[in-house]
Amino acid sequence: MCGIVGILGKHEVAPIILDALKRLEYRGYDSAGIATVNNGALDRRRAVGKLINLSDLLVHDPLRGKSGIGHTRWATHGGPSVANAHPHQAGRVAVVHNGIIENFRELREELSAEGASFSSQTDTETIAQLAGSLLEKGRSPVEAARETLARLKGAFALAFLFSGEDDLIVCARRGSPLAIGHGEGEMFVGSDALALAPMTDRVTYLEEGDWAIITRSGAQIFDAEGHQTHRPMNRINVEETRVDKSGHRHFMAKEMAEQPAILQAALGFYSGLDHDGIDLPDGLGFAATDRLIMVACGTAYYACQVAKYWFERYAGLPVELDIASEFRYRNPVLGDSNTAIFVSQSGETADTLAALRHVKGQVAQVVSVVNVMTSSIARESDIALPIHAGPEIGVASTKAFTAQLQVLAVLALRAGLDRGHLSEAEFATLLAQLRSVPGYVAQALDREEEIRLLTESLSQARDVLFLGRGVMYPLAQEGALKLKEISYIHAEAYAAGELKHGPIALIDKDLPVIIFAPHDALFEKTVSNMQEVMARQGQVLLISDAQGFADAGEVPTRLQMPAVPEFIAPFIYAVPAQMIAYHTALHRGTDVDQPRNLAKSVTVE
Ligand code: M6R
């Protein structure tokens, strides 16, 4: 949720840490801070709000030193304030932290009883106070960090910096990812390889429970039992970590525009143009699976909801689908012929990871569909399938959604074939339809100007209702989520047929109702629901295709999508779901890429 960085460098580190924090700002932007060791003493600067505020502060009040740690925060314990901003310092130690310390109250009471005086409401300050008191009691910096780590409960990634130690950072990973970067006479630590990419392409990922002593000459890594251990060094592809807007106004705009190219290239990893099958990693199969369990959060959950229709229809596979934060707490009944699929862009979502850990050993195979192959979810699953979307920086997930849909579609088709539910001919037809998706998505993206105009009045609304049936119901939910997330307009989605069971009471002349209704088997029924809305003066925007408009009769506002086969319609209707939110947010002047209260990667439960 927060981003952390540490550098033992050859040059002044504050500007380099600031730059690395920019690359981690997607993780949180409630406050930011940097601490350095300057002439043996700890010094720090902290500012509330986005990184730009810290950057301004550093212009007026520079921070010197060649070793330092930095942090960008998504508030958990204690609101956004300078006092609660990291790094937290207690005497001779400063700490940056991502995650939650569950036993912080107990530790705080213990330390307060010993005379410690706390200046923040955070759980993190407890870590600094504990390490600080151990230093006072005569422990060496490494001993103080090690003993502190042994007392902490919870999930976290941490970095410690000490006064009088210009060549030492101690870091630890428990539950939250941490990467060590290797330079020439320099060393780096970061929440992910993205942060380190401009400085080095040689990265070691800490394993769960690891902690490390870092100096400019290298890293000594210890496992959870305290034994010194070796973790492999990986070369990262710096091209894949490029995070610029490529001329677009926002990352979200760039990421929406990238979808046709990404979908085209990513399908090639599963089904090359030179053959007509689908290649999956060895060991992944659905022939013996009696039930699929799908778990995810947010947008990834809606991708699973679409995929449920596909698996049931094209593979005859029963699917149980759950929001990750609910899954573990309802005692799900699991079987050794079940396959569990976890979908996550970041691969670090705490709820999804916890759900994955819950099923391990209880089902036949644990499969993940992820964008970050070095993530915890990818590493802890039996088989990880990449979506190949490239870094997604906008907090609102767009290209990851369609890329997740594509991998799930590939799995559903292959499951259909393996289970004998699809004939070779049906399989070939559906695969050909999947190959046509990028072209249709490009056509949908071409409707941008029309969407921009449509959203002028929408941006004045207080509430918006989204409706859809079948696979369009999750698309309606995705549209409502996007709109809430970046425009702050209250939006709800309903299965169109459910409207008459209560929500219809909301309809009046001021309520915009956006209806996703391609001309498919359910079209007539959705149009009947639309008529019910129009009869009550609801402001309908119908999103459909040419045949849909021919059959729908008079509709106040319409947005035409290309006519496509039913199987691939979710990809195409994802575009208006995203773009309506984007342009509404632009009209309202909200912060599209970094909407309030949110963070890209949610690593707390
Ligand atoms: O990284 P994940 O795919 O696991 O993230 C899941 C959700 O937090 C994420 O999709 C969130 O709902 C997005 N901000 C939606 O745009």
Side-chain angles (χ1 to χ4, degrees):
M1 212 73 210
C2 305
I4 69 177
V5 180
I7 300 181
L8 298 173
K10 292 195 263 199
H11 311 283
E12 292 293 319
V13 286
I16 310 173
I17 292 177
L18 196 65
D19 192 55
L21 289 178
K22 271 187 204 144
R23 300 165 72 81
L24 288 175
E25 204 179 11
Y26 72 91
R27 290 174 153 259
Y29 31 82
D30 286 332
S31 65
I34 297 177
T36 56
V37 178
N38 181 22
N39 291 325
L42 282 174
D43 197 3
R44 63 182 168 152
R45 304 284 180 273
R46 299 177 293 167
V48 177
K50 295 201 174 176
L51 215 44
I52 187 78
N53 299 339
L54 178 64
S55 179
D56 287 350
L57 178 66
L58 288 167
V59 169
H60 298 108
D61 193 5
L63 194 55
R64 306 262 172 245
K66 294 184 178 167
S67 48
I69 53 178
H71 188 267
T72 176
R73 178 170 191 245
W74 185 80
T76 56
H77 294 77
S81 66
V82 172
N84 288 334
H86 301 214
H88 287 283
Q89 185 178 346
R92 289 161 48 208
V93 61
V95 175
V96 286
H97 164 221
N98 168 31
I100 287 182
I101 306 302
E102 286 165 4
N103 59 336
F104 88 100
R105 282 192 186 82
E106 168 197 326
L107 294 172
R108 193 170 165 129
E109 274 169 28
E110 180 185 315
L111 289 158
S112 299
E114 286 176 15
S117 145
F118 285 80
S119 56
S120 79
Q121 300 152 303
T122 64
D123 50 345
T124 310
E125 194 186 352
T126 318
I127 310 171
Q129 291 281 2
L130 182 54
S133 96
L134 289 165
L135 287 167
E136 284 305 305
K137 289 174 185 157
R139 309 296 201 280
S140 70
V142 170
E143 282 168 356
R146 189 170 44 78
E147 286 184 37
T148 300
L149 290 170
R151 300 281 322 268
L152 302 180
K153 293 192 181 130
F156 51 78
L158 285 172
F160 297 86
L161 187 73
F162 305 89
S163 66
E165 301 285 344
D166 181 49
D167 192 21
L168 177 69
I169 288 175
V170 178
C171 62
R173 174 203 163 129
R174 204 186 295 164
S176 298
L178 202 58
I180 296 173
H182 306 259
E184 297 301 327
E186 299 182 291
M187 289 292 287
F188 314 95
V189 182
S191 293
D192 63 28
L194 265 188
L196 308 181
M199 302 174 277
T200 181
D201 64 350
R202 289 177 296 148
V203 166
T204 301
Y205 295 97
L206 290 188
E207 296 288 340
E208 187 55 20
D210 285 356
W211 65 282
I213 302 169
I214 314 229
T215 64
R216 284 183 180 79
S217 49
Q220 278 177 276
I221 302 176
F222 300 86
D223 64 17
E225 276 70 50
H227 305 303
Q228 191 164 349
T229 185
H230 172 77
R231 303 291 179 213
M233 192 187 292
N234 306 273
R235 286 264 174 203
I236 54 169
N237 182 343
V238 178
E239 255 317 289
E240 283 176 9
T241 60
R242 271 189 47 180
V243 285
D244 58 56
K245 293 184 195 150
S246 306
H248 290 270
R249 193 165 157 197
H250 297 102
F251 281 110
M252 185 180 175
K254 176 197 169 203
E255 287 157 6
M256 286 190 294
E258 281 176 336
Q259 292 178 104
I262 284 168
L263 292 170
Q264 174 116 37
L267 186 57
F269 287 97
Y270 294 98
S271 178
L273 280 174
D274 51 348
H275 81 118
D276 48 14
I278 284 174
D279 301 320
L280 295 180
D282 290 346
L284 176 56
F286 295 94
T289 298
D290 64 359
R291 189 169 60 124
L292 267 190
I293 292 165
M294 304 189 76
V295 182
C297 302
T299 286
Y301 172 77
Y302 298 136
C304 292
Q305 219 178 326
V306 171
K308 176 181 161 77
Y309 289 90
W310 289 337
F311 278 111
E312 290 178 346
R313 173 158 182 188
Y314 301 120
L317 245 179
V319 176
E320 207 172 301
L321 173 62
D322 232 316
I323 292 170
S325 53
E326 292 292 320
F327 178 71
R328 277 185 309 152
Y329 302 108
R330 67 168 172 86
N331 301 313
V333 179
L334 303 166
D336 55 14
S337 301
N338 299 168
T339 291
I341 302 184
F342 297 86
V343 181
S344 172
Q345 186 284 130
S346 61
E348 298 296 349
T349 299
D351 289 320
T352 311
L353 181 58
L356 184 153
R357 287 176 179 158
H358 183 79
V359 306
K360 267 204 119 169
Q362 299 191 66
V363 296
Q365 46 188 358
V366 174
V367 179
S368 63
V369 175
V370 291
N371 200 22
V372 183
M373 285 297 277
T374 51
S375 62
S376 307
I377 288 175
R379 283 136 61 96
E380 293 191 29
S381 45
D382 299 326
I383 295 172
L385 300 170
I387 61 169
H388 295 290
E392 190 181 64
I393 303 299
V395 164
S397 191
T398 53
K399 63 176 180 174
F401 177 66
T402 45
Q404 286 161 351
L405 283 181
Q406 179 160 266
V407 173
L408 294 170
V410 157
L411 291 181
L413 294 190
R414 177 63 191 269
L417 192 64
D418 290 354
R419 295 166 64 81
H421 207 79
L422 288 176
S423 68
E424 295 276 351
E426 286 165 331
F427 173 83
T429 304
L430 291 166
L431 185 56
Q433 290 176 3
L434 202 53
R435 289 197 202 289
S436 69
V437 163
Y440 287 122
V441 168
Q443 285 181 39
L445 286 164
D446 285 344
R447 316 311 299 250
E448 177 155 18
E449 180 54 15
E450 210 175 322
I451 293 174
R452 190 185 71 73
L453 294 171
L454 282 173
T455 50
E456 264 171 24
S457 60
L458 197 70
S459 66
Q460 307 300 316
R462 205 190 57 175
D463 309 286
V464 176
L465 205 56
F466 287 77
L467 300 177
R469 273 179 184 259
V471 284
M472 287 298 126
Y473 173 41
L475 264 296
Q477 289 176 294
E478 174 62 358
L481 173 62
K482 290 281 97 85
L483 192 69
K484 278 186 275 222
E485 196 172 23
I486 62 170
S487 77
Y488 315 147
I489 294 177
H490 169 242
E492 292 297 333
Y494 279 94
E498 188 65 9
L499 191 69
K500 55 190 176 291
H501 297 289
I504 200 162
L506 297 170
I507 308 286
D508 64 16
K509 64 176 179 30
D510 297 321
L511 186 74
V513 182
I514 301 177
I515 303 175
F516 291 76
H519 193 269
D520 58 14
L522 298 173
F523 180 75
E524 293 302 335
K525 295 202 185 300
T526 312
V527 164
S528 302
N529 303 132
M530 181 185 79
Q531 299 297 348
E532 291 156 12
V533 172
M534 283 164 51
R536 290 159 181 84
Q537 274 88 50
Q539 300 300 306
V540 166
L541 162 58
L542 177 64
I543 309 177
S544 186
D545 48 38
Q547 191 58 53
F549 290 123
D551 292 1
E554 235 1 75
V555 185
T557 319
R558 48 175 69 191
L559 177 64
Q560 190 169 327
M561 291 290 115
V564 295
E566 201 171 326
F567 169 45
I568 60 168
F571 294 92
I572 286 73
Y573 284 72
V575 173
Q578 299 163 352
M579 225 175 234
I580 286 173
Y582 177 70
H583 281 286
T584 306
L586 288 192
H587 290 307
R588 288 170 69 91
T590 52
D591 191 338
V592 169
D593 283 335
Q594 296 182 332
R596 70 186 180 200
N597 303 341
L598 290 173
K600 182 74 182 160
S601 176
V602 186
T603 57
V604 291
E605 279 195 53

